Amino acid sequence: MIYLDNAATTLKKPDCVVAAVTEALCNMGNSSRGTHDSSLKSARAVFAARSSLAKLFNAPGPEQVVFTQNSTEALNMALCGLFCKGDHVITTALEHNSVLRPLYRLEDEGVISLSVVPADRQGRPDYDAFSRLIRPETRAIVCTHASNLTGNVMDLERVGAIAKSHGLLLVVDASQTAGAYPIDMKRMNISVLCFTGHKGLMGPQGTGGMCLARDVRIRPFKVGGSGVQSYSRAHPAEMPTRLEAGTLNGHGIAGLGAGVDYILEKGVDAIHAYEIALAKHFYEGVRDIPGVTVYGDFTNWNRTAVVTLNIGDYDSGAVSDALWEDFGIATRPGAHCAPLMHHALGTAEQGAVRFSFALFNTLDEADAAIAAVKELAQCD
Amino acid sequence: MAEEINYYILFANYTQGLALQELLKSEGLRARIAPTPRAVQGELSCGMSLLVLPEEIDAVRECIARHNAPHHSIVPLPCQIRPGRGRFC
């Protein structure tokens, strides 16, 4: 199998991640529950993972790193816990449903009003629209760091500067970039960074979280067991316990921590350079094939290692199915949970086939994918 | 014979405690993780504390103050069990 669906989840993990999860399954007790060795192994693994993530993202400190099941849960906690009735929020056409649906629900419930920054046919956001859409009651900009459909990267320094100059919160969905593209919370003025653990961070599924700037307060989405302050009627107010209730996924977080340490050792810039070289090779091999349409902005390579295309008017599901059945190449067709982006690209009906590369892919695999697209494009 | 005193540093959560243990270790100060004693728990019941050697408590206080390290309080308690015991991480 040639696995090119890394934007959905990275299939191949570093050996250290597998080892860390195995070790955790064999020896780890419950984090923050007791002080015997097994419990402390878990508490230390969780603390180490927080510290590594804070270092990777230049977050204020380990206590500002909160673990969740995935970025969708983190985004729900952030968006439902930040806004009050009457707030206005700005988001973009690049968003995944993990951002759009919580915002739509808040809008439908009459809590917030919502404005959307449009994108052009190459999936590029209209940066001037951010300032244009700001109103007196605007509270936040909520945006992705990179489109999961096109791989286009949002210029977060630019958006962060706009947010800062207007006193707005900046909530970022880093599902597609965490571990695969440089992120600096302080330089980018990010208030809340939501990430998933099983994609670029190369951890297990069921891990994710958010990093909060020091002055950001989110109303807890859930309260309950914490292992501390048991006789207090209220859930602990201190971070990160404030936003974590119940037993953490310690086994998964141990693996996530190992993945982040692996990334810190390799370097995000080096990982991005490798992945983007594969994507570039694939892009250059398919872009001129008659009948092939590639979506996104390829005028520069400040993007993620995603190349999305269609062949003629073929249904994207049929193309992806043929790639799998006839060539053993795993891709993702359809809507990718990004409805506004498809409308902007004009692919709402056809969908699109996404090829996404990661650290354990090779140039030979990219060549095999080029050959497969060529063959499928010659079938009509 | 003088009564032995245990010094417990109390925290709001494990993250604060583990962070301080790491800090103390980096400065060569010993602190063992222990359950928070019931006698001093109050509203901080359950959780972890750091048990510090009496001869190092002043240095620990100074380190905490210098780094403004988050913690709840430092509580002295008479040692009830095996006064000579002490396994520091």
Side-chain angles (χ1 to χ4, degrees):
Chain A
M1 174 178 65
I2 296 174
Y3 185 83
L4 299 178
D5 196 16
N6 294 286
T9 193
T10 47
L11 180 69
K12 295 180 183 173
K13 313 290 187 186
D15 290 344
C16 61
V17 171
V18 179
V21 174
T22 305
E23 159 70 16
L25 283 167
C26 294
N27 295 308
M28 248 166 70
N30 196 335
S31 172
S32 297
R33 309 294 193 276
T35 59
H36 50 77
D37 273 1
S38 300
S39 171
L40 289 181
K41 271 196 174 77
S42 185
R44 288 191 173 112
V46 169
F47 182 74
R50 292 191 208 278
S51 300
S52 296
L53 283 159
K55 185 175 177 186
L56 181 67
F57 299 136
N58 198 18
E63 73 283 357
Q64 294 302 103
V65 179
V66 173
F67 287 115
T68 65
Q69 288 185 44
N70 46 52
S71 54
T72 294
E73 188 178 45
L75 284 159
N76 271 269
M77 287 169 63
L79 301 180
C80 296
L82 280 172
F83 303 133
C84 301
K85 191 165 176 59
D87 284 343
H88 172 246
V89 176
I90 297 170
T91 190
T92 83
L94 278 68
E95 306 308 315
H96 188 278
N97 276 336
S98 58
V99 167
L100 293 175
R101 284 177 171 163
L103 291 177
Y104 286 157
R105 188 173 68 173
L106 288 168
E107 185 182 36
D108 292 346
E109 290 170 349
V111 177
I112 64 165
S113 55
L114 186 64
S115 299
V116 179
V117 168
D120 65 14
R121 296 280 288 188
Q122 279 71 52
R124 295 172 296 201
D126 176 4
Y127 287 103
D128 293 335
F130 283 103
S131 297
R132 205 166 55 239
L133 291 170
I134 291 172
R135 309 175 192 164
E137 67 271 26
T138 303
R139 180 90 192 287
I141 295 171
V142 183
C143 68
T144 187
H145 191 191
S147 164
N148 68 311
L149 179 54
T150 65
N152 289 359
V153 164
M154 183 82 69
D155 184 348
L156 281 186
E157 284 196 54
R158 185 171 175 181
V159 178
I162 295 168
K164 187 178 181 184
S165 69
H166 290 84
L168 308 181
L169 297 168
L170 175 59
V171 180
V172 172
D173 171 10
S175 300
Q176 293 297 317
T177 52
Y181 196 91
I183 296 173
D184 186 320
M185 279 188 72
K186 288 172 189 164
R187 188 162 47 83
M188 295 169 168
N189 289 306
I190 296 171
S191 310
V192 184
L193 180 79
C194 299
F195 60 89
T196 194
H198 66 97
K199 296 185 181 183
L201 294 176
M202 293 188 271
Q205 294 175 10
T207 61
M210 59 177 144
C211 301
L212 276 64
R214 193 74 74 187
D215 57 346
V216 174
R217 294 284 178 275
I218 293 176
R219 289 187 304 278
F221 164 70
K222 54 185 179 180
V223 294
S226 60
V228 294
Q229 306 182 36
S230 295
Y231 285 88
S232 169
R233 183 179 163 90
H235 194 78
E238 293 80 8
M239 289 288 289
T241 316
R242 176 181 170 82
L243 296 174
E244 293 174 346
T247 295
L248 289 173
N249 177 9
H251 301 127
I253 292 168
L256 172 61
V260 175
D261 288 343
Y262 180 86
I263 290 162
L264 287 169
E265 190 182 327
K266 285 262 177 193
V268 174
D269 287 334
I271 290 171
H272 179 252
Y274 179 80
E275 293 180 353
I276 215 67
L278 296 178
K280 187 176 182 186
H281 183 77
F282 177 73
Y283 168 75
E284 288 172 348
V286 298
R287 66 177 174 179
D288 294 326
I289 297 173
V292 168
T293 304
V294 180
Y295 303 98
D297 179 10
F298 289 86
T299 55
N300 68 74
W301 290 93
N302 292 324
R303 50 182 294 105
T304 62
V306 165
V307 181
T308 297
L309 57 80
N310 273 317
I311 300 175
D313 61 355
Y314 291 168
D315 184 288
S316 62
V319 171
S320 184
D321 189 44
L323 285 165
W324 174 246
E325 290 295 326
D326 299 344
F327 302 94
I329 298 172
T331 59
R332 173 88 186 275
H336 310 87
C337 302
L340 301 184
M341 192 75 272
H342 274 289
H343 284 299
L345 298 175
T347 52
E349 294 300 318
Q350 192 177 10
V353 185
R354 182 182 68 188
F355 298 73
S356 48
F357 297 85
L359 190 59
F360 294 107
N361 287 125
T362 65
L363 215 51
D364 285 347
E365 290 178 327
D367 279 332
I370 294 167
V373 173
K374 272 184 187 160
E375 190 173 326
L376 290 174
Q378 287 166 359
C379 283
D380 54 348
Chain B
M1 185 176 153
E3 185 179 49
E4 287 217 28
I5 298 293
N6 281 334
Y7 288 88
Y8 290 93
I9 310 176
L10 310 186
F11 304 95
N13 57 29
Y14 278 65
T15 306
Q16 288 184 359
L18 291 167
L20 182 59
Q21 191 192 34
E22 210 167 74
L23 175 64
L24 294 174
K25 194 174 176 184
S26 74
E27 301 210 355
L29 296 166
R30 291 165 290 181
R32 180 171 71 80
I33 295 172
T36 306
R38 277 295 299 145
V40 296
Q41 280 179 2
E43 64 182 22
L44 288 182
S45 53
C46 303
M48 63 161 282
S49 59
L50 288 181
L51 191 52
V52 177
L53 289 170
E55 59 267 33
E56 293 186 352
I57 188 63
D58 290 340
V60 166
R61 287 185 199 278
E62 190 275 326
C63 174
I64 288 173
R66 184 159 30 88
H67 292 278
N68 198 21
H71 71 293
H72 181 271
S73 54
I74 300 176
V75 179
L77 264 190
C79 185
Q80 291 180 308
I81 304 170
R82 294 174 58 194
R85 185 174 175 275
R87 185 168 62 87
F88 287 82
C89 305

